[in-house]
């Protein structure tokens, strides 16, 4: 009988060289870290668009600001009579009604006063005309303003989720460049809108493209830096973005018309079309996804731009690349994180922190600016605007020394505790409307209502200060602990969570602040939960970025305080983690961990 040959299965693919997967330990030092001129140029190029992003993010405060409005009619001789529309003055943008000088102020109003053929407006935001005055979005049409505010935020949320996944699959550079092209198209078309429906629809797509730019630049910035410089490089970008916030009132005063302002905000993105030529793909992402042929070309480009001698390649990065150059690329989707034991928990915790930080920030802002008219600290648009911007700036300035001293986890925990304390004190002591409790507290403390209002304002400022730091630090923390192969998806999740937190502001305004107290209580409870969950996070300060999912799994948590000499640690070490298989067999790739690993399982520089 004829014997048939049984095909022999091909041998399993050999593991990739550990040298190539240790980007922070071998590849980045070979390229000179941030000492190379080309690397510094690329970092600078990620900073410049932050100014344009700041303009776009805060444009709603001017395009959709609710102006003071009144109805007036001519008597045929050029004399005008005026009447107020129904409403009451507040700082929420829901109908800030003030009569012009010399016009009568009626004692009361009713729905019939909305029957007006011609509205006249006094815009507080430095513009002669904005979207509200263009299409008379007052009285029965006021809800359309909130829908227009939704559109940009919802576009940002969907954009972060979708472009994050795309960035992990096709790269950061294509997402950045295509987002720039489409934001130019949609952003300039917004200025040509013929009605509020067209405006809101185009703003959604503008937000979608803006999310792609924000996410790809954030990832590129993180992946360019060595461990010791990541936080400060990111904070510089935040300061530049805030400078856009501070410059917006002046820009609006110069433009005068909302269409001109919209065009001026979008046109600077034209400069980013040059990035197609001058900005390369993320070398870290190429190495992590095993695209070694493209990686070799980019490394040679780095050495040429930095005028380096390839003979300085002591560790043999380039020779190792040549050995592995035929290896097929290995790309990963964020969905893979579901099969992990630790990584998905870390990402979920940071998403909840981001949602809570940005969500409760609105509660503090409403309390400070006046949920009720009696608590308003000012009736000036610019004072309100710059107060908010100043608190955000102070928060970022405080983050630098706090995170430098306490680390990522310690800093996040401190700011979350401050947020929880400010929220609970404000809710439990000053916002209680029970007459008996109020009488008891007045008797006990002798505090008048005006003193309580001042305490409430102080707690609101502290809460805004700390909650802004919580939101910003959660995004940065997630970018550090998420592996390079899925960093886009992880950043997309945490930035989308931040977007959901910001979305609570227009939702509450749409419902005329109904349920405001319950809204604040829910987020206050979330802060307490977050305090506990933050203790489960690892510490990423001065640690190498994880490149693949197994690396991310070995980012295990440490106690906040170091062990005393001779004390038995309560948390599992990496060697014990390797033997622990009670939950999952998720590729516990700890075979190649060197002896000099830290307690997080990552090599330090």
């Amino acid at each position: 009988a004829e014997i048939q040959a049984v095909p022999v299965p091909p041998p399993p693919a050999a593991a990739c060289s550990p040298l190539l997967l240790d980007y922070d330990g071998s590849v980045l030092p070979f390229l000179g870290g941030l000492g190379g001129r080309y690397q510094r140029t690329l970092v600078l190029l990620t900073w410049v668009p932050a100014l344009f992003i700041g303009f776009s993010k805060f444009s709603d405060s001017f395009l959709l600001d609710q102006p003071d409005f009144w109805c007036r009619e001519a008597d045929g001789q050029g004399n005008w009579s005026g009447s107020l529309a129904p409403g009451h003055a507040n700082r929420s943008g829901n109908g800030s009604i003030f009569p012009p000088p010399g016009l009568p102020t009626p004692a009361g109003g009713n729905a019939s006063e909305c029957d007006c053929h011609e509205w006249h407006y006094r815009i507080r935001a430095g513009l002669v005309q904005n979207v509200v005055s263009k299409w008379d979005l007052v009285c029965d049409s006021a809800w359309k303003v909130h829908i227009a505010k939704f559109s940009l935020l919802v576009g940002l949320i969907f954009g972060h989720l979708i472009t994050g996944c795309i960035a992990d699959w096709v790269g950061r550079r294509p997402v950045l460049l295509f987002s720039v092209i489409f934001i130019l198209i949609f952003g300039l078309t917004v200025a040509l809108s013929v009605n509020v429906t067209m405006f809101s629809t185009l703003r959604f797509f503008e937000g979608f493209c803006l999310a792609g730019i924000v996410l790809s630049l954030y990832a590129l910035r993180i992946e360019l830096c060595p461990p010791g410089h990541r936080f400060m490089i990111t904070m510089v970008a935040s300061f530049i973005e805030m400078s856009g916030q501070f410059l917006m009132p002046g820009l609006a005063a110069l433009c005068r018309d909302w269409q001109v302002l919209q065009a001026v905000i979008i046109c600077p993105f034209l400069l980013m079309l040059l990035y197609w030529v001058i900005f390369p793909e993320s070398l870290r992402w190429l190495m992590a996804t095993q695209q070694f042929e493209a990686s070799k070309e980019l490394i040679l480009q780095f050495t040429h731009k930095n005028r380096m001698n390839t003979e300085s390649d002591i560790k043999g990065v380039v020779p190792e690349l040549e050995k592995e150059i035929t290896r097929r690329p290995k790309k990963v989707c964020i969905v893979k994180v579901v099969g992990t034991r630790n990584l998905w928990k870390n990402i979920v915790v940071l998403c909840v922190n981001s949602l809570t930080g940005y969500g409760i920030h609105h509660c503090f802002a409403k309390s400070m600016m006046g949920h009720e008219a009696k608590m308003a600290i000012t009736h000036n648009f610019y004072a309100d605007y710059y107060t908010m911007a100043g608190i955000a700036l102070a928060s970022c300035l405080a983050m630098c020394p706090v995170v430098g001293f306490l680390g990522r986890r310690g800093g996040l925990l401190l700011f979350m505790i401050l947020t929880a304390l400010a929220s609970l004190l404000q809710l439990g002591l000053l916002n209680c409307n029970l007459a008996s409790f109020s009488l008891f507290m007045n008797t006990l403390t002798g505090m008048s209502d005006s003193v309580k209002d001042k305490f409430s304002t102080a707690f609101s400022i502290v809460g805004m200060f700390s909650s802004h730091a919580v939101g910003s630090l959660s995004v940065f923390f997630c970018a550090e602990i998420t592996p390079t192969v899925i960093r886009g998806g992880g950043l997309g999740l945490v930035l989308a969570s931040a977007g959901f937190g910001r979305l609570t502001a227009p939702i509450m305004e749409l419902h005329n602040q109904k349920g405001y107290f319950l809204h604040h209580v829910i987020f206050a409870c979330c802060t307490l939960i977050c305090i506990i969950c933050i203790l489960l996070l690892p510490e990423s300060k001065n640690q190498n970025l994880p490149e693949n999912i197994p690396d991310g799994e070995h980012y295990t948590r440490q106690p906040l305080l170091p062990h005393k000499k001779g004390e038995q640690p309560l948390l599992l070490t990496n060697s014990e983690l390797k033997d622990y298989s009670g939950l999952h067999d998720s590729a516990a790739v700890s075979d190649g961990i060197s002896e000099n690993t830290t307690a997080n399982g990552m090599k330090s520089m």
Side-chain angles (χ1 to χ4, degrees), residues 367 375 422 425-426 429-430 447-462:
S367 182
M375 295 181 65
L425 286 171
Q426 191 175 64
L429 177 63
L430 301 171
M447 287 194 301
S448 63
D449 289 341
S450 62
V451 175
K452 289 182 180 180
D453 290 345
K454 290 178 181 178
F455 271 107
S456 181
T457 301
F459 289 139
S460 297
I461 293 173
V462 173

Side-chain angles (χ1 to χ4, degrees), residues 52-60 63-64 131 148 150-160 163 178-193 198-214 248 258-259 261-269:
F52 316 148
I53 292 169
F55 289 151
S56 296
K57 280 187 175 181
F58 298 100
S59 59
D60 272 356
L63 299 178
L64 297 169
V131 173
F150 286 165
S151 59
L152 184 70
L153 289 173
V154 173
L156 283 166
I157 291 170
F158 279 96
H160 288 312
T163 59
F178 279 103
S179 297
V180 168
I181 292 171
F182 283 107
I183 200 174
L184 288 169
I185 295 172
F186 291 118
L188 292 175
T189 311
V190 166
L192 305 176
S193 300
M198 180 178 177
F199 175 86
S200 300
T201 304
L202 291 172
R203 287 285 278 180
F204 170 84
F205 290 107
E206 181 188 344
F208 189 98
C209 300
L210 183 64
I213 296 173
V214 171
M248 267 301 293
W258 75 270
Q259 291 173 306
L261 178 62
Q262 174 68 16
V264 169
I265 289 171
I266 295 298
C267 283
F269 286 104

Side-chain angles (χ1 to χ4, degrees), residues 326-551:
T326 57
R327 187 178 292 271
R328 295 184 60 183
K330 189 177 180 181
K331 300 177 181 179
V332 184
C333 180
I334 187 63
V335 178
K336 293 287 185 181
V337 80
V338 178
T340 61
R341 187 171 66 232
N342 299 316
L343 188 56
W344 74 269
K345 299 174 188 176
N346 296 337
I347 294 176
V348 168
V349 167
L350 290 170
C351 286
V352 175
N353 274 269
S354 178
L355 172 66
T356 303
Y358 283 104
I360 202 169
H361 188 273
H362 168 69
C363 299
F364 290 122
K366 291 305 301 176
S367 182
M368 186 183 73
M369 296 304 176
H371 173 232
E372 297 176 346
K374 66 174 184 177
M375 295 181 65
I377 62 172
T378 178
H379 290 292
N380 185 283
F381 170 82
Y382 294 106
D384 290 349
Y385 183 85
Y386 281 116
T387 298
M388 302 280 285
I391 292 172
L393 178 61
S395 176
C396 288
L397 288 172
M399 283 172 61
C400 298
V402 169
V403 173
F405 181 71
L406 297 178
R408 281 53 160 158
R409 183 176 60 162
L412 184 59
L413 181 62
L414 174 63
F415 286 120
M416 186 59 82
I417 290 173
L418 285 176
T419 304
L421 286 175
S423 180
L424 293 174
L425 286 171
Q426 191 175 64
L427 288 173
L429 177 63
L430 301 171
N431 280 354
C432 185
N433 294 321
L434 294 177
S436 59
F437 182 82
S438 180
L439 181 62
F440 170 74
M441 289 304 299
N442 286 336
T443 305
L444 184 65
T445 63
M447 287 194 301
S448 63
D449 289 341
S450 62
V451 175
K452 289 182 180 180
D453 290 345
K454 290 178 181 178
F455 271 107
S456 181
T457 301
F459 289 139
S460 297
I461 293 173
V462 173
M464 292 173 64
F465 170 87
S466 56
S467 61
H468 183 274
V470 166
S472 301
L473 193 52
S474 297
V475 175
F476 175 75
F477 204 169
C478 188
E480 282 199 320
I481 68 171
T482 305
T484 301
V485 290
I486 56 169
R487 183 165 292 119
L491 264 174
L493 287 173
V494 73
L495 287 170
S497 301
F500 276 115
R502 291 191 187 100
L503 197 60
T504 59
I507 289 175
M508 293 302 296
E509 289 177 0
L510 182 62
H511 291 86
N512 199 24
Q513 305 305 324
K514 291 178 181 176
Y516 162 81
F517 186 78
L518 179 61
H519 174 219
H520 199 162
V521 169
I522 291 172
F523 276 115
C525 295
C526 288
T527 60
L528 300 178
I529 297 172
C530 289
I531 289 173
I532 300 172
C533 293
I534 288 171
L535 298 174
L536 304 177
L537 295 173
E539 177 55 64
S540 58
K541 180 183 176 182
N542 292 329
Q543 303 295 321
N544 294 351
L545 290 178
E547 305 299 340
N548 47 45
I549 290 181
D551 286 345

